[in-house]
Amino acid sequence: MLRALLLALVMLAAAGPARAAGDIDTCRNSTAEPAARLAACESVIADESITGPSRAAAFWYRGDTLMKKRDYDGAIAAFTTSHEIAPQNVMVINARGIAYSYKGDDEHALADYDLCLQLRPTFGSAYNNRGLIFMRRGELQRSLDEFNLAVKYIGNDQSRYLHHYNRGRLQGLMKRYEESLADFAEAQRANPDGPQVPGYRCLTYIGMGRFDDALTDCNTALAKSPNNLYALTNRANAYLGKGNLDAALNDYNQVLKVNPNYVRAYVGRGQLYEKRRNLAAARTDYRAVANAVAAKREDIDTTLARAVAKERLEALLGTAAPASKAPQPAGPRKVALIIGNGAYKNVAPLDNPPRDAKLIASTFRDLGFATVTLSSDLTRDKFFAALHEFGLESEKADWAVVYYAGHGMEIGGVNYLIPVDARLKADSDAETQAVALEQVIASVAGARKLRLVMLDACRDNPFEKTMQRTIALKLVNRGFSNIEPEAGFMVVYAAKHGETALDGDSVNSPFATVLARVIREPKIEVRKLFDIVRDDVWKATNRTQQPFTYGSLPGREDFYFVAEK
């Protein structure tokens, strides 16, 4: 008897602690508190005895939770497992399509929406989501066809609201204003308190020239969300259309004070400056946003705004002040902006960037640049001010060169340079606290011949341990992402995209040291010069750092920092 009891105890010990059964009821309860529901769904996933629809639902909820955290890869993996368990569930397939779309992978998103419609041809959400992709791409008629089907197959009040306000927004872009207003009215009947309708209907009223109605809607949107930069820019556009330029300028400036990278506000303010005949300021604002250089997925409003900026900038290029008739030195007029950020206030300081900046500035002065502006330890506002002033200087030059040393990183598909006062408690703060690379490239765009940006900034992310992750398009731990600048621009990274640049063991970084030496050598054309810099940095760092060049200069002319001995 005793032996049997001992044997039973040994068998229990070998079996280990009993596993709690999965809490199916809480996992499938849509009214449960989110944290409790997630814990319940995780318990269902852990309980391998649970199969079928309940297990599929648990993976779906895990995916939904991850998508809300913007962990799109994790969400896609969870939705895929759910789909494998329940392959006929269109809600899961649709959710995975949304995750793909948020990630920027439209082709996989469209494939999922197509699969939804193969399984259920009357599934309105899939038509709506296809319409959103086509609208963002600028395929407006195709988008309208999808939204028409989404409205035809409305399932409930929530989808009635979404599908009508999306179609209303599109109808406004297509200048079908009465149809747009009808859709917004239908959306409001489905959800009188829905926040999106006033903000988007404001744009429809602006297009119709009904500026007072537009202001009413914009103010309603701002009353609900005072920090809504989209609505604030819309209100500025309404004031601009009405002719109240002071009020419009105040709103544009307020938007750009909060987010100096906000494209639509630059375009609106550029149009305002045109009305005031301040064409130099208009060119500066248009140039700041005319060209995107990153692979970031943009909304249709931003895409259209960039198109306006590009069109107006081309129209205004002939309005720049003529070159001075005073005697000019022989050869091209060259100007440079040199920035070294090291005295960071919220992370450990960097010793080398200010020294690197002084070295490069001294080198450019020795090479006879007309102006060399050296700026160190720039805060956000001073950084943008320096770029603005240099942009004006570039318009009077043949060559415009920017060299930056300091922290820089890619976040959410956008490359940013980091001012010394940045806090970056969350990765999304970069949009308002850092300087988008396209702003730096814009500052050299006015030069007549050579437009060059050099970035000795591909260091590890110093905010990584404390930064809240909300954007899962890319891990923000090191370096820049690759870019595709327009023809006529050259951008040089001190380290290849996704890699880190070294500070080195000497007074200056390996990149700055090699650059300052090679750039003084005569008769080395710029394209070859950076090939030599690449090879010498690669050798000096024992094959751990490889500079990389993006873009292309005009092909019919050679460029030399030192033309001859």
Side-chain angles (χ1 to χ4, degrees):
M1 178 107 178
L2 179 60
R3 182 178 179 184
L5 178 60
L6 289 172
L7 182 60
L9 289 173
V10 169
M11 292 177 66
L12 284 171
R19 177 177 289 175
D23 185 355
I24 295 174
D25 291 341
T26 304
C27 178
R28 304 197 74 164
N29 181 1
S30 61
T31 64
E33 192 273 328
R37 187 179 182 189
L38 179 61
C41 289
E42 292 297 334
S43 75
V44 170
I45 292 171
D47 187 345
E48 295 180 0
S49 68
I50 298 175
T51 60
S54 294
R55 190 168 188 81
F59 276 104
W60 169 84
Y61 192 71
R62 174 192 276 182
D64 186 65
T65 301
L66 291 172
M67 188 156 63
K68 289 173 181 174
K69 294 180 179 180
R70 303 189 188 186
D71 181 357
Y72 302 125
D73 287 330
I76 289 166
F79 290 139
T80 297
T81 303
S82 180
H83 172 56
E84 291 169 350
I85 298 168
Q88 303 298 310
N89 190 327
V90 295
M91 302 300 292
V92 172
I93 302 168
N94 186 61
R96 188 175 65 179
I98 294 171
Y100 275 125
S101 183
Y102 285 164
K103 185 182 176 183
D105 186 348
D106 285 348
E107 297 312 313
H108 277 98
L110 288 170
D112 272 348
Y113 301 145
D114 290 346
L115 179 56
C116 287
L117 293 170
Q118 290 174 22
L119 295 170
R120 190 192 299 177
T122 60
F123 187 46
S125 292
Y127 291 116
N128 177 77
N129 294 335
R130 287 203 309 197
L132 290 172
I133 289 177
F134 296 138
M135 180 167 64
R136 190 176 66 250
R137 288 178 171 182
E139 300 176 46
L140 301 189
Q141 183 57 53
R142 195 174 181 185
S143 177
L144 180 60
D145 294 339
E146 298 292 336
F147 286 142
N148 286 340
L149 289 168
V151 168
K152 180 179 179 180
Y153 297 119
I154 285 172
N156 52 42
D157 278 346
Q158 181 181 11
S159 61
R160 183 181 303 279
Y161 175 74
L162 290 172
H163 300 176
H164 274 289
Y165 95 67
N166 279 330
R167 190 172 71 173
R169 181 185 179 195
L170 175 70
Q171 307 253 41
L173 292 173
M174 298 178 74
K175 296 181 170 53
R176 297 163 56 100
Y177 297 126
E178 295 300 335
E179 293 88 343
S180 174
L181 293 179
D183 269 329
F184 287 136
E186 189 64 31
Q188 278 197 314
R189 277 191 284 273
N191 182 2
D193 297 321
Q196 291 91 347
V197 167
Y200 289 131
R201 190 170 58 193
C202 173
L203 286 177
T204 295
Y205 282 136
I206 291 172
M208 299 174 75
R210 293 171 57 176
F211 300 117
D212 288 331
D213 290 328
L215 289 169
T216 298
D217 264 353
C218 286
N219 286 329
T220 298
L222 288 167
K224 294 179 180 179
S225 180
N227 297 320
N228 185 335
L229 299 187
Y230 184 86
L232 189 57
T233 304
N234 289 348
R235 188 175 72 176
N237 292 342
Y239 279 131
L240 179 64
K242 191 176 181 180
N244 189 342
L245 302 190
D246 289 338
L249 183 60
N250 182 67
D251 277 352
Y252 290 134
N253 287 343
Q254 186 176 339
V255 171
L256 293 171
K257 183 177 180 180
V258 175
N259 181 357
N261 298 297
Y262 198 75
V263 172
R264 295 177 64 240
Y266 279 109
V267 177
R269 194 173 67 175
Q271 292 171 314
L272 183 150
Y273 286 141
E274 279 200 77
K275 286 181 177 290
R276 288 186 165 173
R277 305 302 299 166
N278 186 347
L279 302 185
R283 287 194 305 272
T284 298
D285 274 357
Y286 292 144
R287 185 173 283 124
V289 297
N291 300 301
V293 296
K296 181 184 178 183
R297 187 190 76 160
E298 292 188 320
D299 59 75
I300 183 64
D301 299 290
T302 301
T303 299
L304 293 174
R306 285 196 194 278
V308 171
K310 199 166 188 176
E311 177 186 338
R312 294 309 307 149
L313 180 60
E314 291 176 358
L316 293 178
L317 283 179
T319 67
S324 171
K325 294 183 180 180
Q328 298 292 319
R333 186 174 191 274
K334 305 173 185 177
V335 298
L337 171 63
I338 314 297
I339 300 172
N341 274 2
Y344 284 92
K345 300 177 181 179
N346 300 299
V347 292
L350 296 172
D351 293 331
N352 272 6
R355 296 196 294 255
D356 293 339
K358 289 179 181 178
L359 172 64
I360 300 303
S362 175
T363 302
F364 282 176
R365 291 189 181 108
D366 291 347
L367 294 177
F369 272 59
T371 65
V372 177
T373 303
L374 174 61
S375 300
S376 296
D377 299 327
L378 296 182
T379 62
R380 187 199 74 166
D381 291 347
K382 289 183 178 179
F383 206 134
F384 278 99
L387 293 176
H388 174 81
E389 292 301 319
F390 187 68
L392 297 176
E393 187 71 21
S394 296
E395 283 197 343
K396 299 177 285 185
D398 298 296
W399 288 33
V401 181
V402 172
Y403 171 89
Y404 170 81
H407 279 304
M409 66 190 76
E410 183 271 340
I411 299 177
V414 178
N415 292 309
Y416 291 101
L417 310 187
I418 311 301
V420 297
D421 59 345
R423 294 183 179 275
L424 298 184
K425 293 182 178 179
D427 49 16
S428 56
D429 291 338
E431 189 174 8
T432 57
Q433 296 180 18
V435 180
L437 175 56
E438 68 180 40
Q439 299 282 342
V440 182
I441 293 174
S443 73
V444 303
R448 289 181 284 271
K449 295 182 179 181
L450 182 139
R451 309 174 188 98
L452 172 64
V453 174
M454 295 177 285
L455 302 173
D456 194 356
C458 311
R459 293 168 170 81
D460 285 334
N461 175 6
F463 302 91
E464 183 178 10
K465 293 181 179 179
T466 59
M467 179 187 286
Q468 179 186 356
R469 303 292 183 93
T470 66
I471 301 173
L473 289 177
K474 173 98 175 200
L475 288 176
V476 286
N477 58 353
R478 59 174 57 196
F480 290 127
S481 61
N482 61 317
I483 59 172
E484 296 180 6
E486 286 202 346
F489 294 84
M490 179 177 282
V491 180
V492 181
Y493 288 0
K496 191 176 180 180
H497 56 267
E499 299 178 355
T500 54
L502 305 176
D503 282 324
D505 299 322
S506 63
V507 172
N508 297 109
S509 75
F511 180 78
T513 301
V514 170
L515 176 65
R517 171 175 54 80
V518 175
I519 209 170
R520 294 176 182 272
E521 297 180 16
K523 292 298 286 184
I524 301 180
E525 207 277 332
V526 165
R527 300 166 184 85
K528 183 178 180 181
L529 184 149
F530 284 108
D531 288 342
I532 295 172
V533 169
R534 178 199 62 212
D535 294 345
D536 286 2
V537 171
W538 183 242
K539 181 179 179 181
T541 60
N542 294 317
R543 303 169 69 89
T544 58
Q545 178 179 334
Q546 182 181 17
F548 206 83
T549 300
Y550 301 88
S552 60
L553 298 176
R556 294 185 178 276
E557 185 171 353
D558 291 333
F559 300 93
Y560 300 92
F561 280 95
V562 181
E564 57 187 46
K565 291 184 179 179

